Amino acid sequence: MSTVISKNLDTLYLSSETRICKTERFVKETARFTGVDFFITQFAEGLISDQKLFSKLLTDNYYRLVTTDQKHAFYVAIGLTSVTDGAEDVIFYSYEDKGDVKRKNDLAFVQYLENKKQIEFSVFPTARPVGDDFAKLYLLSSDDQVNFPLLNEEQLKIVTTENVNVLAQGVAGSGKTNVCIDKIVFSAARNYHGKVLYTTFSRGLLIDTESKIKLFRKNVLSFKNALDNNKVRFVKGDKKRAVEARLGIFLNVDTNASISEKLGDFVNFLDNNVEFKLLSDFAADKTIANEDFFVKKFLQGANKFVLSKIAKIPTLNYEIIYKEIYGLILGCNRDNSDQIISLEDYVKLRENSFSKRECEVIYSVALDYVKFLESQNATDNNLICKKLLPSLKEPWYSLSIIDEVQDFTEINLAFISKISRKVFAVGDALQMINPSYFSFAYLKRLLYDKEEMKVAELKNNYRNTRSITDIVNTLSDLNVKKFGLHNFILKGTAIGNDQASAVFFKDDDALNKLAKEKPNPFTIVVTGVEVKNRLRKSLPKQEILTVSEIKGLERDTVLLYDLLSDNYEKWRTLEELDVNRKKADENSVYRYYFNLFYVGISRAKRNLFVTESKSVKAFEDFFKQKFDCKSTQDGIKEILKTVSKVDVDRDELLERIEEFLKFGQFDNATYTANRLEDDTERVRYLDIIKIYEQRVYRGDYKGAGIAYWEMGELERAKKYFALSGDEELIKLVDEVAGKGDGKLTVDIARFYPELKNNERAKELILNTLKSDLDNLKNELKDTRKILQGARKNGKK
């Protein structure tokens, strides 16, 4: 038996007992649609608007909501208190429709609501869904590309801890960045005194976090406007709690009358008191060096003397040498000094990892590298901190939030600690594969105070299946067995019941044999760039990433290729080494090789394959116990069987391009863009990548916005104008788009009279005209040269 419900689209209905959420499955099933969250909000509010009916619906829990034209059906669970601790939450867990077209940006939801003042739908009881589908929940947002995870109890406890330094250690897939985002939101809602800094290691993650905060701001402001215009109806309970349930924030208010005012304070805090900066943003007019700079600029352009030094330590590749120079020689902190550590100190620190001769060579190369940086007007995060740290007197921020803290060096952490009254840091030492020489022990000493320090753990793994999580945990046991039990080694708990396949097979020319079968594209993970470039010749259609590149990403199917074998000599040495288990902290060189394998394994969501050309004794039992061990031929058959069910389509390629841009992996982004079949789209994305590399990656958000506008990428232009604070230009983009093709050209001059009092818009218009005039002058010069050449040839 069904019930028909009507909902006014212009009115919001709120209850203090009800949050509106969606599951991972629902997100995937509706990913192609535009306007998903606004659409389903109308259904959820329709349910709670009639509280008498809603109380009856709580008895059966599971329902199917169907539009009157029968085109759209949503499945919801109501009041699953054991899942969300919310007595009357509405959770959307599945969707079905009659449409056959599965295109991106489907406008079916938007078109359905066009010219409607209300929506009607029928409610049918339905059976409980099979499987644990409610493990990871999301709140709704106004952007189809962004979903805000609903924090679990342990995450929420960490976020709401105040007035102390917080160090949160989390396993892979535990939602560490989400905790940082919610900490920013919580700080704004509490209206902290002073400013809040969010910092991390990569520009892409910084932009991604700032964009989500700006979207959160937009959601709050939109709700405030509805509240101020009397379009909100509170149907049950306390108004303050109802607003908190809807927006996912904590409001520090004493009376219901002050809710709108506090929401305004919240928005103002985000606008004026939160800064998003990389350490490199504290340096001006300098080229920022990284590992790519070290290899391509320094080593490839180095004199023979420097290369002859490196030739003396052939067992250490460029990556390891850079990690030592950046992470320890330049990154170590000695009494907040602007000097690098001495050779004697370096040799002593590495006595259980490298020979004295290896240390002397690495240190000598480090000194050459510092001189090279000076000659190129370049610097890096360590040298920036060393320069600024001695002169610091007072903290600049009331709170600094450090995401992926394991990627920061000692001197980085000392600098952040000095500019901050309190620090909120999250990370995973077992993912320390960037050259940071990070130590949780050092960070604890830096922040330690009996009354002002809290250490927390995030153990729920939302990424991997139970079987993959079990493999990761067993790998941690191996780590402990060799190096001893240290508090930075955590065991994860899988959220969800999905099982996965884990197959191990010996590499008997496996990839060449696999290449002949021409499998559907899947992801191969290797130790370094040299191996990656070699494999691309025989497997041009496969996504091949180094461990460093796949860190922060996830894939359904992953093949780890020789991650242990490529470091075989190190593992042999480790077998014979008597490790001091008390001193074997996060920074043992050999822990680094464990970390490589740990990161590789934890990237697989469902299907994990491992192939090794050599047998590493320490892992023999591990593979026998936790993997389905097969022959080379059977292993290849299993891969072919698995990947035959999945094809990487256009939309997946576009998502991967965006991921690679986020992490500054421009070679991988370009490689993926070149796999696009449509020529026009391929060229377009290559231009998008180029602008990102030249503008966005260097922090020039306004320049990126203008460049994207010029090529007609209006949404990207508006995104970067929002990040640069040029909100007026966003309005101008929309104005131009409404009266033409939307691209930035000299036609923008017609808007000058109405915008001449807007300094940012006026500057853009004048610069556009100047740029166009300069281009015209250059074209005229070229034309004159051609004509002059023609005259000369004519005379002859």
Side-chain angles (χ1 to χ4, degrees):
M1 186 173 178
S2 67
T3 302
V4 178
I5 293 178
S6 296
K7 159 69 171 58
N8 186 335
L9 296 179
D10 199 37
T11 304
L12 282 65
Y13 291 90
L14 274 68
S15 164
S16 63
E17 304 301 317
T18 305
R19 291 172 297 190
I20 307 171
C21 311
K22 54 187 178 181
T23 66
E24 187 93 19
R25 172 184 171 186
F26 183 85
V27 170
K28 290 179 180 177
E29 290 177 350
T30 59
R32 74 182 190 274
F33 289 102
T34 296
V36 177
D37 285 3
F38 180 77
F39 196 50
I40 65 175
T41 297
Q42 308 312 312
F43 289 83
E45 290 185 357
L47 293 174
I48 67 173
S49 63
D50 186 340
Q51 280 291 295
K52 188 175 181 180
L53 170 64
F54 192 67
S55 64
K56 293 180 181 178
L57 296 177
L58 288 168
T59 58
D60 288 332
N61 295 129
Y62 302 99
Y63 296 91
R64 184 170 179 262
L65 315 180
V66 186
T67 55
T68 51
D69 63 359
Q70 306 293 309
K71 286 186 176 180
H72 306 288
F74 299 95
Y75 291 83
V76 300
I78 301 175
L80 296 185
T81 54
S82 61
V83 177
T84 64
D85 292 325
E88 300 175 0
D89 287 349
V90 176
I91 305 171
F92 288 79
Y93 64 84
S94 188
Y95 167 77
E96 64 182 31
D97 67 2
K98 294 184 178 180
D100 296 324
V101 180
K102 304 298 181 184
R103 63 181 181 276
K104 198 77 171 175
N105 300 321
D106 191 309
L107 295 174
F109 292 166
V110 176
Q111 291 168 349
Y112 187 87
L113 296 178
E114 275 182 346
N115 302 317
K116 281 188 173 72
K117 292 185 178 181
Q118 67 177 28
I119 187 172
E120 287 189 351
F121 59 95
S122 299
V123 182
F124 300 87
T126 190
R128 179 189 179 97
V130 177
D132 186 7
D133 193 48
F134 302 93
K136 187 174 183 179
L137 301 177
Y138 300 90
L139 292 170
L140 309 189
S141 82
S142 57
D143 190 310
D144 297 316
Q145 306 304 314
V146 179
N147 300 295
F148 294 110
L150 189 66
L151 297 191
N152 62 33
E153 187 176 345
E154 70 175 12
Q155 292 170 326
L156 193 61
K157 195 172 182 180
I158 292 170
V159 166
T160 55
T161 297
E162 296 186 273
N163 301 319
V164 296
N165 293 311
V166 174
L167 173 55
Q169 300 166 228
V171 299
S174 60
K176 294 183 289 294
T177 296
N178 296 328
V179 167
C180 289
I181 291 172
D182 274 83
K183 185 62 179 179
I184 297 170
V185 171
F186 181 77
S187 302
R190 298 288 287 172
N191 201 19
Y192 283 179
H193 295 292
K195 292 194 172 185
V196 172
L197 171 70
Y198 171 87
T199 189
T200 187
F201 189 72
S202 73
R203 176 72 65 184
L205 182 55
L206 186 90
I207 291 171
D208 191 51
T209 301
E210 184 174 1
S211 297
K212 287 177 179 176
I213 290 295
K214 293 213 175 264
L215 176 60
F216 206 100
R217 172 198 180 278
K218 178 183 175 183
N219 292 344
V220 171
L221 195 57
S222 176
F223 179 84
K224 181 182 182 302
N225 290 335
L227 188 64
D228 293 342
N229 288 297
N230 199 31
K231 293 182 178 180
V232 178
R233 299 289 179 268
F234 295 94
V235 297
K236 184 178 180 180
D238 177 75
K239 291 183 179 180
K240 170 179 166 292
R241 281 185 57 199
V243 173
E244 290 176 336
R246 172 56 59 89
L247 297 177
I249 64 176
F250 295 93
L251 288 175
N252 185 23
V253 297
D254 300 321
T255 63
N256 292 331
S258 62
I259 290 176
S260 178
E261 180 184 345
K262 288 300 180 181
L263 291 177
D265 292 341
F266 176 87
V267 170
N268 289 333
F269 189 96
L270 292 181
D271 288 343
N272 302 308
N273 290 70
V274 181
E275 293 184 3
F276 298 84
K277 284 186 175 183
L278 301 182
L279 290 176
S280 58
D281 294 330
F282 289 98
D285 303 323
K286 290 272 190 178
T287 298
I288 305 300
N290 54 18
E291 186 174 348
D292 197 54
F293 183 95
F294 176 81
V295 174
K296 293 182 179 178
K297 297 286 186 181
F298 172 60
L299 291 183
Q300 291 183 4
N303 56 45
K304 294 181 180 179
F305 184 58
V306 172
L307 296 178
S308 67
K309 291 180 185 179
I310 294 178
K312 296 175 182 177
I313 48 175
T315 59
L316 302 180
N317 61 33
Y318 290 164
E319 184 179 23
I320 295 295
I321 295 170
Y322 177 72
K323 289 179 186 299
E324 289 296 300
I325 292 173
Y326 178 88
L328 186 49
I329 296 174
L330 300 184
C332 188
N333 181 36
R334 288 292 183 268
D335 302 320
N336 296 342
S337 169
D338 60 354
Q339 301 299 309
I340 65 175
I341 63 171
S342 67
L343 173 59
E344 292 73 22
D345 282 345
Y346 176 56
V347 172
K348 187 175 181 180
L349 283 167
R350 292 320 236 167
E351 62 184 354
N352 291 321
S353 302
F354 296 115
S355 69
K356 183 178 179 183
R357 180 60 178 153
E358 287 173 327
C359 288
E360 288 172 342
V361 172
I362 294 170
Y363 192 87
S364 178
V365 173
L367 297 180
D368 293 328
Y369 180 53
V370 171
K371 290 179 183 177
F372 180 78
L373 290 174
E374 292 173 353
S375 71
Q376 300 295 307
N377 190 37
T379 188
D380 70 8
N381 289 346
N382 294 318
L383 298 177
I384 291 168
C385 294
K386 285 182 181 294
K387 181 179 179 180
L388 294 174
L389 194 54
S391 62
L392 292 174
K393 299 286 190 266
E394 295 290 331
W396 300 346
Y397 301 97
S398 62
L399 175 69
S400 285
I401 298 169
I402 314 175
D403 199 358
E404 300 289 3
V405 70
Q406 77 277 349
D407 293 332
F408 287 74
T409 65
E410 285 188 0
I411 195 69
N412 299 160
L413 295 172
F415 171 72
I416 295 173
S417 175
K418 196 74 180 288
I419 63 174
S420 316
R421 295 191 184 280
K422 290 291 182 291
V423 171
F424 182 93
V426 298
D428 177 7
L430 293 182
Q431 293 191 65
M432 189 185 67
I433 59 172
N434 281 318
S436 67
Y437 200 71
F438 171 82
S439 164
F440 272 123
Y442 173 79
L443 183 55
K444 288 175 186 176
R445 291 195 302 272
L446 199 64
L447 304 178
Y448 182 74
D449 184 307
K450 272 189 176 181
E451 297 178 357
E452 295 187 356
M453 179 73 179
K454 177 177 179 178
V455 178
E457 296 178 348
L458 293 165
K459 294 184 178 181
N460 285 340
N461 183 336
Y462 292 96
R463 175 188 300 131
N464 306 121
T465 61
R466 290 189 184 278
S467 30
I468 298 294
T469 301
D470 184 45
I471 291 171
V472 172
N473 287 340
T474 304
L475 187 61
S476 294
D477 290 338
L478 269 179
N479 199 322
V480 170
K481 183 178 178 181
K482 186 64 184 179
F483 296 105
L485 181 61
H486 294 262
N487 60 13
F488 57 82
I489 299 178
L490 305 179
K491 284 194 173 183
T493 301
I495 304 299
N497 288 322
D498 287 349
Q499 293 300 304
S501 62
V503 175
F504 173 83
F505 58 94
K506 190 167 177 58
D507 174 25
D508 179 17
D509 197 31
L511 293 195
N512 282 329
K513 292 176 180 177
L514 186 63
K516 293 177 182 177
E517 301 292 338
K518 297 180 180 179
N520 280 351
F522 65 100
T523 302
I524 302 172
V525 179
V526 298
T527 51
V529 175
E530 298 87 352
V531 182
K532 172 181 171 177
N533 292 338
R534 173 168 57 83
L535 293 184
R536 269 188 172 170
K537 294 176 182 178
S538 58
L539 292 158
K541 291 186 177 181
Q542 301 305 322
E543 180 181 69
I544 305 174
L545 304 175
T546 67
V547 178
S548 295
E549 290 170 339
I550 201 171
K551 179 177 174 286
L553 304 176
E554 57 186 39
R555 296 288 187 263
D556 267 1
T557 302
V558 170
L559 168 64
L560 307 186
Y561 175 73
D562 271 355
L563 292 197
L564 300 175
S565 301
D566 282 350
N567 297 303
Y568 182 70
E569 293 304 320
K570 290 294 181 185
W571 289 112
R572 282 189 60 188
T573 303
L574 182 59
E575 287 170 14
E576 301 167 1
L577 194 66
D578 183 19
V579 175
N580 185 324
R581 290 160 64 88
K582 288 185 178 180
K583 293 184 178 179
D585 66 6
E586 300 99 314
N587 290 291
S588 163
V589 165
Y590 300 102
R591 272 203 196 279
Y592 164 73
Y593 298 111
F594 256 106
N595 290 359
L596 283 177
F597 199 51
Y598 170 88
V599 170
I601 283 179
S602 63
R603 299 307 101 186
K605 292 180 68 176
R606 301 183 186 282
N607 305 300
L608 173 64
F609 296 89
V610 177
T611 183
E612 295 287 344
S613 56
K614 298 176 181 177
S615 178
V616 177
K617 187 176 180 180
F619 290 87
E620 288 177 354
D621 289 341
F622 169 73
F623 288 126
K624 289 177 183 177
Q625 293 170 10
K626 295 298 174 182
F627 286 74
D628 183 6
C629 297
K630 294 181 177 293
S631 66
T632 303
Q633 199 59 43
D634 286 344
I636 291 173
K637 286 180 180 177
E638 193 67 29
I639 291 176
L640 294 172
K641 177 183 172 183
T642 300
V643 301
S644 66
K645 303 171 187 175
V646 181
D647 191 17
V648 179
D649 60 11
R650 168 189 170 274
D651 289 340
E652 177 70 16
L653 290 176
L654 297 184
E655 287 176 11
R656 292 185 180 186
I657 291 171
E658 300 296 343
E659 283 183 334
F660 290 136
L661 289 181
K662 174 180 173 180
F663 290 102
Q665 298 178 26
F666 305 115
D667 288 345
N668 287 330
T670 300
Y671 186 84
T672 306
N674 280 322
R675 289 172 59 188
L676 294 170
E677 294 181 359
D678 184 271
D679 290 341
T680 302
E681 187 172 49
R682 182 168 59 253
V683 171
R684 173 179 159 236
Y685 269 92
L686 290 173
D687 287 340
I688 287 171
I689 294 166
K690 186 177 180 181
I691 292 170
Y692 195 103
E693 182 175 11
Q694 294 177 347
R695 299 284 192 177
V696 177
Y697 193 65
R698 300 176 188 278
D700 180 12
Y701 301 148
K702 182 178 179 180
I706 293 172
Y708 282 130
W709 192 0
E710 288 174 336
M711 67 173 291
E713 287 290 318
L714 304 189
E715 291 306 313
R716 291 180 192 273
K718 291 195 288 185
K719 173 182 177 179
Y720 291 107
F721 286 147
L723 290 171
S724 68
D726 293 284
E727 301 288 342
E728 299 92 338
L729 298 186
I730 296 176
K731 298 174 185 176
L732 186 56
V733 171
D734 290 333
E735 185 75 15
V736 173
K739 298 180 180 179
D741 63 7
K743 289 187 178 181
L744 180 60
T745 66
V746 290
D747 289 339
I748 197 176
R750 69 178 185 270
F751 295 95
Y752 186 83
E754 58 192 278
L755 294 168
K756 63 182 179 181
N757 294 324
N758 184 319
E759 290 301 322
R760 292 177 186 264
K762 184 172 74 171
E763 178 190 11
L764 176 65
I765 293 170
L766 294 176
N767 285 341
T768 302
L769 293 176
K770 182 179 181 301
S771 176
D772 189 76
L773 183 60
D774 290 341
N775 290 336
L776 184 59
K777 288 179 180 178
N778 290 331
E779 289 176 7
L780 289 173
K781 287 180 182 178
D782 292 340
T783 302
R784 288 194 194 99
K785 288 179 182 178
I786 293 171
L787 291 174
Q788 288 172 356
R791 290 194 191 100
K792 289 179 181 178
N793 291 331
K795 289 178 180 178
K796 291 178 181 179

